Amino acid sequence: MSAQPAAIATPCIKVCVVEPLSGLCTGCGRSLREIGAWTAFSADARAAIMAVLPARLERLRQMAPDAFMD
């Protein structure tokens, strides 16, 4: 019996809307390039990106408040 592959950590919250000027997802804060390459990144690279997402989303919210649904 084979072991299940380890789950990949992701910041995705299933709100996939890209703000056009920044190119960032308003749900998770990642760029389209980051989203597309997520599974190819190492665990350390994913962790480094996830560490900056809260600040990135806050800057995006300040720049483009109308891009957010809440």
Side-chain angles (χ1 to χ4, degrees):
M1 184 168 183
S2 63
Q4 292 285 349
I8 293 177
T10 178
C12 182
I13 62 167
K14 310 256 189 292
V15 176
C16 303
V17 177
V18 176
E19 193 282 319
L21 294 177
S22 67
L24 298 175
C25 175
T26 62
C28 68
R30 294 178 293 172
S31 68
L32 288 176
R33 186 190 75 75
E34 290 167 339
I35 293 167
W38 196 250
T39 59
F41 290 142
S42 68
D44 288 343
R46 288 190 299 270
I49 293 167
M50 286 193 291
V52 300
L53 293 179
R56 191 187 285 181
L57 280 169
E58 183 55 36
R59 281 191 309 274
L60 181 58
R61 189 176 291 276
Q62 290 173 5
M63 287 178 11
D66 293 339
F68 293 83
M69 293 183 223
D70 59 327

